[in-house]
Amino acid sequence: MTFASGSGGNSALVWNAGTRILVDAGISATRITAALAAVGAVPAALDAVLVTHGHTDHTAGLPILLKRTSAQVWTSGGTASEICPKCPEDRVRVIAPGSALRFGTMTVRSFETPHDSAGSTGFVISEDGGASLAFVTDLGRVTAEVRRAALGVSAAILESNHDLDMLRAGPYPWPLKRRVGGDFGHLSNEAAGQFARELAEAGAKCLLLAHLSETNNTPETARRAVAAALGDAAGSVTLSVAPAGECSEIFEI
Ligand SMILES: [Zn+2]
Ligand SMILES: [Zn+2]
């Protein structure tokens, strides 16, 4: 379930009967606490807080959230140095790309993502003998490493940030257009569509499009582009779009 998704803030909860993992805390601790309450959880019951990278839309709520939970923050070395001024150093632990961590009955693996933030990371969270979920957001392109890590998961939260034509014709100044559309920026609908097809062909059954730009995309544009790219595979995949400023539905995978 995503609590928020996009440049205004990102946070999501992955949970089963015994384990609760928060991924990113880019909205206020108050909003995260309210979203947790809606599914019967509290910050103090979190097993881990994973952080993909240091941008504010993924970390804004961390300092206050850490006062409400004793869960550790797990992130890459690059992101750890970036967030440590905001977060107590003894609360931040480093997960090396490719390594695995256990929380309750879940395993977390991280992988590097090409983004303009030091140590930007994606995660695959899998349940013992069960489903697996990849977080693939905030990346300029799908690299061999992203493919290696994410192909084969049963579900993915996949960035579908902008429509290329809307970005080109839109109001952003040229340097920002170049950053967003560049190799270390954000995935376009077209790129998301291509990777969605690869994920579906590798067995993914549930795709949640995320981190949509509110300026250079619309939920309908993103969904249409990715559904078209899925082609024949569309019938076997549940395709949804994560709302920007509110909680998504709960996806059972
Ligand atoms: Zn970012
Ligand atoms: Zn972001």
Side-chain angles (χ1 to χ4, degrees):
M1 174 186 200
T2 54
F3 293 166
S5 180
S7 54
N10 298 272
S11 190
L13 182 71
V14 182
W15 79 102
N16 64 11
T19 309
R20 292 171 191 84
I21 297 176
L22 189 78
V23 180
D24 285 331
I27 52 174
S28 72
T30 306
R31 281 178 63 194
I32 292 172
T33 304
L36 286 169
V39 295
V42 289
L46 291 172
D47 293 277
V49 179
L50 310 180
V51 173
T52 56
H53 64 295
H55 285 161
T56 314
D57 59 318
H58 299 259
T59 55
L62 264 186
I64 308 286
L65 182 73
L66 290 185
K67 296 186 200 298
R68 301 181 182 179
T69 176
S70 56
Q72 299 281 10
V73 173
W74 293 89
T75 192
S76 70
T79 302
S81 5
E82 207 175 321
I83 62 176
C84 272
K86 284 198 273 188
C87 302
E89 221 167 295
D90 60 346
R91 300 295 304 281
V92 180
R93 309 280 296 271
V94 170
I95 173 169
S99 62
L101 288 172
R102 294 276 302 163
F103 300 103
T105 53
M106 293 191 194
T107 301
V108 173
R109 281 191 172 75
S110 76
F111 57 93
E112 290 177 49
T113 48
H115 190 51
D116 54 356
S117 173
S120 186
T121 297
F123 296 105
V124 172
I125 303 176
S126 38
E127 193 180 21
D128 290 354
S132 52
L133 167 67
F135 281 81
V136 189
T137 67
D138 295 76
L139 68 171
R141 64 191 194 285
V142 175
T143 60
E145 184 176 354
V146 172
R147 283 198 171 82
R148 231 183 349 261
L151 288 181
V153 293
S154 29
I157 295 183
L158 174 63
E159 171 160 64
S160 195
N161 178 259
H162 55 274
D163 172 79
L164 285 172
D165 291 334
M166 286 175 78
L167 177 67
R168 231 175 266 134
Y172 281 5
W174 173 238
L176 184 55
K177 287 185 185 183
R178 212 167 39 187
R179 182 183 91 70
V180 169
D183 279 353
F184 295 88
H186 294 276
L187 275 195
S188 67
N189 295 343
E190 291 76 1
Q194 265 177 31
F195 194 47
R197 177 154 192 141
E198 290 180 49
L199 285 162
E201 285 172 351
K205 295 279 174 265
C206 179
L207 297 174
L208 179 60
L209 303 180
H211 216 299
L212 269 67
S213 166
E214 293 186 79
T215 310
N216 303 307
N217 210 354
T218 68
E220 206 28 60
T221 308
R223 185 200 297 270
R224 211 179 318 119
V226 173
L230 280 170
D232 307 340
S236 59
V237 173
T238 306
L239 181 64
S240 313
V241 178
E246 55 194 85
C247 291
S248 70
E249 59 186 293
I250 296 171
F251 295 93
E252 213 167 303
I253 59 172

mmCIF file with all atom_site columns, all heavy atoms in Angstrom, residues 26 29-30 46 60 74 88 117 123 146 157 182 185:
data_model
loop_
_atom_site.group_PDB
_atom_site.id
_atom_site.type_symbol
_atom_site.label_atom_id
_atom_site.label_alt_id
_atom_site.label_comp_id
_atom_site.label_asym_id
_atom_site.label_entity_id
_atom_site.label_seq_id
_atom_site.pdbx_PDB_ins_code
_atom_site.Cartn_x
_atom_site.Cartn_y
_atom_site.Cartn_z
_atom_site.occupancy
_atom_site.B_iso_or_equiv
_atom_site.pdbx_formal_charge
_atom_site.auth_seq_id
_atom_site.auth_comp_id
_atom_site.auth_asym_id
_atom_site.auth_atom_id
_atom_site.pdbx_PDB_model_num
ATOM 1  N N   . GLY A 1 26  ? 8.707  10.254 3.021   1.00 0.00 ? 26  GLY A N   1
ATOM 2  C CA  . GLY A 1 26  ? 8.759  11.574 2.396   1.00 0.00 ? 26  GLY A CA  1
ATOM 3  C C   . GLY A 1 26  ? 7.533  12.434 2.653   1.00 0.00 ? 26  GLY A C   1
ATOM 4  O O   . GLY A 1 26  ? 7.349  13.458 2.002   1.00 0.00 ? 26  GLY A O   1
ATOM 5  N N   . ALA A 1 29  ? 5.504  12.834 9.565   1.00 0.00 ? 29  ALA A N   1
ATOM 6  C CA  . ALA A 1 29  ? 5.304  11.706 10.482  1.00 0.00 ? 29  ALA A CA  1
ATOM 7  C C   . ALA A 1 29  ? 3.839  11.617 10.897  1.00 0.00 ? 29  ALA A C   1
ATOM 8  O O   . ALA A 1 29  ? 3.315  10.521 11.140  1.00 0.00 ? 29  ALA A O   1
ATOM 9  C CB  . ALA A 1 29  ? 6.206  11.877 11.699  1.00 0.00 ? 29  ALA A CB  1
ATOM 10 N N   . THR A 1 30  ? 3.163  12.759 10.949  1.00 0.00 ? 30  THR A N   1
ATOM 11 C CA  . THR A 1 30  ? 1.738  12.763 11.306  1.00 0.00 ? 30  THR A CA  1
ATOM 12 C C   . THR A 1 30  ? 0.937  12.003 10.247  1.00 0.00 ? 30  THR A C   1
ATOM 13 O O   . THR A 1 30  ? 0.078  11.173 10.578  1.00 0.00 ? 30  THR A O   1
ATOM 14 C CB  . THR A 1 30  ? 1.222  14.220 11.389  1.00 0.00 ? 30  THR A CB  1
ATOM 15 O OG1 . THR A 1 30  ? 2.069  14.924 12.283  1.00 0.00 ? 30  THR A OG1 1
ATOM 16 C CG2 . THR A 1 30  ? -0.209 14.290 11.830  1.00 0.00 ? 30  THR A CG2 1
ATOM 17 N N   . LEU A 1 46  ? 6.846  -0.827 13.698  1.00 0.00 ? 46  LEU A N   1
ATOM 18 C CA  . LEU A 1 46  ? 7.578  -1.044 12.444  1.00 0.00 ? 46  LEU A CA  1
ATOM 19 C C   . LEU A 1 46  ? 8.827  -1.879 12.718  1.00 0.00 ? 46  LEU A C   1
ATOM 20 O O   . LEU A 1 46  ? 9.503  -1.684 13.727  1.00 0.00 ? 46  LEU A O   1
ATOM 21 C CB  . LEU A 1 46  ? 7.999  0.297  11.820  1.00 0.00 ? 46  LEU A CB  1
ATOM 22 C CG  . LEU A 1 46  ? 6.872  1.179  11.264  1.00 0.00 ? 46  LEU A CG  1
ATOM 23 C CD1 . LEU A 1 46  ? 7.425  2.546  10.862  1.00 0.00 ? 46  LEU A CD1 1
ATOM 24 C CD2 . LEU A 1 46  ? 6.201  0.495  10.069  1.00 0.00 ? 46  LEU A CD2 1
ATOM 25 N N   . ALA A 1 60  ? 11.491 13.555 4.152   1.00 0.00 ? 60  ALA A N   1
ATOM 26 C CA  . ALA A 1 60  ? 11.052 14.714 4.948   1.00 0.00 ? 60  ALA A CA  1
ATOM 27 C C   . ALA A 1 60  ? 10.520 14.334 6.334   1.00 0.00 ? 60  ALA A C   1
ATOM 28 O O   . ALA A 1 60  ? 10.750 15.045 7.307   1.00 0.00 ? 60  ALA A O   1
ATOM 29 C CB  . ALA A 1 60  ? 9.988  15.495 4.181   1.00 0.00 ? 60  ALA A CB  1
ATOM 30 N N   . TRP A 1 74  ? 17.339 1.711  7.198   1.00 0.00 ? 74  TRP A N   1
ATOM 31 C CA  . TRP A 1 74  ? 18.282 0.951  6.373   1.00 0.00 ? 74  TRP A CA  1
ATOM 32 C C   . TRP A 1 74  ? 18.378 1.602  5.000   1.00 0.00 ? 74  TRP A C   1
ATOM 33 O O   . TRP A 1 74  ? 17.359 1.821  4.341   1.00 0.00 ? 74  TRP A O   1
ATOM 34 C CB  . TRP A 1 74  ? 17.813 -0.493 6.220   1.00 0.00 ? 74  TRP A CB  1
ATOM 35 C CG  . TRP A 1 74  ? 17.852 -1.240 7.513   1.00 0.00 ? 74  TRP A CG  1
ATOM 36 C CD1 . TRP A 1 74  ? 16.853 -1.320 8.445   1.00 0.00 ? 74  TRP A CD1 1
ATOM 37 C CD2 . TRP A 1 74  ? 18.942 -1.992 8.036   1.00 0.00 ? 74  TRP A CD2 1
ATOM 38 N NE1 . TRP A 1 74  ? 17.260 -2.081 9.515   1.00 0.00 ? 74  TRP A NE1 1
ATOM 39 C CE2 . TRP A 1 74  ? 18.545 -2.513 9.291   1.00 0.00 ? 74  TRP A CE2 1
ATOM 40 C CE3 . TRP A 1 74  ? 20.234 -2.293 7.567   1.00 0.00 ? 74  TRP A CE3 1
ATOM 41 C CZ2 . TRP A 1 74  ? 19.373 -3.300 10.078  1.00 0.00 ? 74  TRP A CZ2 1
ATOM 42 C CZ3 . TRP A 1 74  ? 21.061 -3.083 8.354   1.00 0.00 ? 74  TRP A CZ3 1
ATOM 43 C CH2 . TRP A 1 74  ? 20.632 -3.584 9.591   1.00 0.00 ? 74  TRP A CH2 1
ATOM 44 N N   . PRO A 1 88  ? 19.663 10.866 13.695  1.00 0.00 ? 88  PRO A N   1
ATOM 45 C CA  . PRO A 1 88  ? 20.761 10.439 14.564  1.00 0.00 ? 88  PRO A CA  1
ATOM 46 C C   . PRO A 1 88  ? 21.548 9.315  13.891  1.00 0.00 ? 88  PRO A C   1
ATOM 47 O O   . PRO A 1 88  ? 20.945 8.374  13.349  1.00 0.00 ? 88  PRO A O   1
ATOM 48 C CB  . PRO A 1 88  ? 20.044 9.913  15.808  1.00 0.00 ? 88  PRO A CB  1
ATOM 49 C CG  . PRO A 1 88  ? 18.637 10.373 15.697  1.00 0.00 ? 88  PRO A CG  1
ATOM 50 C CD  . PRO A 1 88  ? 18.342 10.683 14.279  1.00 0.00 ? 88  PRO A CD  1
ATOM 51 N N   . SER A 1 117 ? 21.127 11.245 -7.093  1.00 0.00 ? 117 SER A N   1
ATOM 52 C CA  . SER A 1 117 ? 21.247 11.274 -5.639  1.00 0.00 ? 117 SER A CA  1
ATOM 53 C C   . SER A 1 117 ? 22.217 10.157 -5.268  1.00 0.00 ? 117 SER A C   1
ATOM 54 O O   . SER A 1 117 ? 22.039 9.015  -5.704  1.00 0.00 ? 117 SER A O   1
ATOM 55 C CB  . SER A 1 117 ? 19.871 11.032 -5.019  1.00 0.00 ? 117 SER A CB  1
ATOM 56 O OG  . SER A 1 117 ? 19.973 10.889 -3.627  1.00 0.00 ? 117 SER A OG  1
ATOM 57 N N   . PHE A 1 123 ? 14.568 -1.615 -3.929  1.00 0.00 ? 123 PHE A N   1
ATOM 58 C CA  . PHE A 1 123 ? 14.494 -2.761 -3.016  1.00 0.00 ? 123 PHE A CA  1
ATOM 59 C C   . PHE A 1 123 ? 13.592 -3.847 -3.600  1.00 0.00 ? 123 PHE A C   1
ATOM 60 O O   . PHE A 1 123 ? 12.599 -3.538 -4.277  1.00 0.00 ? 123 PHE A O   1
ATOM 61 C CB  . PHE A 1 123 ? 13.897 -2.349 -1.666  1.00 0.00 ? 123 PHE A CB  1
ATOM 62 C CG  . PHE A 1 123 ? 14.730 -1.348 -0.905  1.00 0.00 ? 123 PHE A CG  1
ATOM 63 C CD1 . PHE A 1 123 ? 14.342 -0.019 -0.827  1.00 0.00 ? 123 PHE A CD1 1
ATOM 64 C CD2 . PHE A 1 123 ? 15.907 -1.735 -0.276  1.00 0.00 ? 123 PHE A CD2 1
ATOM 65 C CE1 . PHE A 1 123 ? 15.107 0.911  -0.133  1.00 0.00 ? 123 PHE A CE1 1
ATOM 66 C CE2 . PHE A 1 123 ? 16.683 -0.821 0.421   1.00 0.00 ? 123 PHE A CE2 1
ATOM 67 C CZ  . PHE A 1 123 ? 16.283 0.514  0.497   1.00 0.00 ? 123 PHE A CZ  1
ATOM 68 N N   . VAL A 1 146 ? 19.163 -3.309 -12.550 1.00 0.00 ? 146 VAL A N   1
ATOM 69 C CA  . VAL A 1 146 ? 17.739 -3.224 -12.167 1.00 0.00 ? 146 VAL A CA  1
ATOM 70 C C   . VAL A 1 146 ? 17.015 -4.457 -12.689 1.00 0.00 ? 146 VAL A C   1
ATOM 71 O O   . VAL A 1 146 ? 16.215 -5.083 -11.979 1.00 0.00 ? 146 VAL A O   1
ATOM 72 C CB  . VAL A 1 146 ? 17.108 -1.920 -12.720 1.00 0.00 ? 146 VAL A CB  1
ATOM 73 C CG1 . VAL A 1 146 ? 15.609 -1.908 -12.499 1.00 0.00 ? 146 VAL A CG1 1
ATOM 74 C CG2 . VAL A 1 146 ? 17.767 -0.684 -12.084 1.00 0.00 ? 146 VAL A CG2 1
ATOM 75 N N   . ILE A 1 157 ? 6.206  -1.804 -7.731  1.00 0.00 ? 157 ILE A N   1
ATOM 76 C CA  . ILE A 1 157 ? 5.825  -0.399 -7.693  1.00 0.00 ? 157 ILE A CA  1
ATOM 77 C C   . ILE A 1 157 ? 6.792  0.277  -8.649  1.00 0.00 ? 157 ILE A C   1
ATOM 78 O O   . ILE A 1 157 ? 7.996  0.333  -8.397  1.00 0.00 ? 157 ILE A O   1
ATOM 79 C CB  . ILE A 1 157 ? 5.924  0.143  -6.247  1.00 0.00 ? 157 ILE A CB  1
ATOM 80 C CG1 . ILE A 1 157 ? 4.882  -0.581 -5.390  1.00 0.00 ? 157 ILE A CG1 1
ATOM 81 C CG2 . ILE A 1 157 ? 5.720  1.652  -6.230  1.00 0.00 ? 157 ILE A CG2 1
ATOM 82 C CD1 . ILE A 1 157 ? 4.787  -0.121 -3.963  1.00 0.00 ? 157 ILE A CD1 1
ATOM 83 N N   . GLY A 1 182 ? 16.651 12.802 -18.268 1.00 0.00 ? 182 GLY A N   1
ATOM 84 C CA  . GLY A 1 182 ? 17.990 12.253 -18.475 1.00 0.00 ? 182 GLY A CA  1
ATOM 85 C C   . GLY A 1 182 ? 18.187 10.886 -17.842 1.00 0.00 ? 182 GLY A C   1
ATOM 86 O O   . GLY A 1 182 ? 17.293 10.343 -17.182 1.00 0.00 ? 182 GLY A O   1
ATOM 87 N N   . GLY A 1 185 ? 17.510 10.782 -14.113 1.00 0.00 ? 185 GLY A N   1
ATOM 88 C CA  . GLY A 1 185 ? 16.302 11.492 -13.696 1.00 0.00 ? 185 GLY A CA  1
ATOM 89 C C   . GLY A 1 185 ? 15.211 10.516 -13.319 1.00 0.00 ? 185 GLY A C   1
ATOM 90 O O   . GLY A 1 185 ? 15.336 9.767  -12.335 1.00 0.00 ? 185 GLY A O   1
#
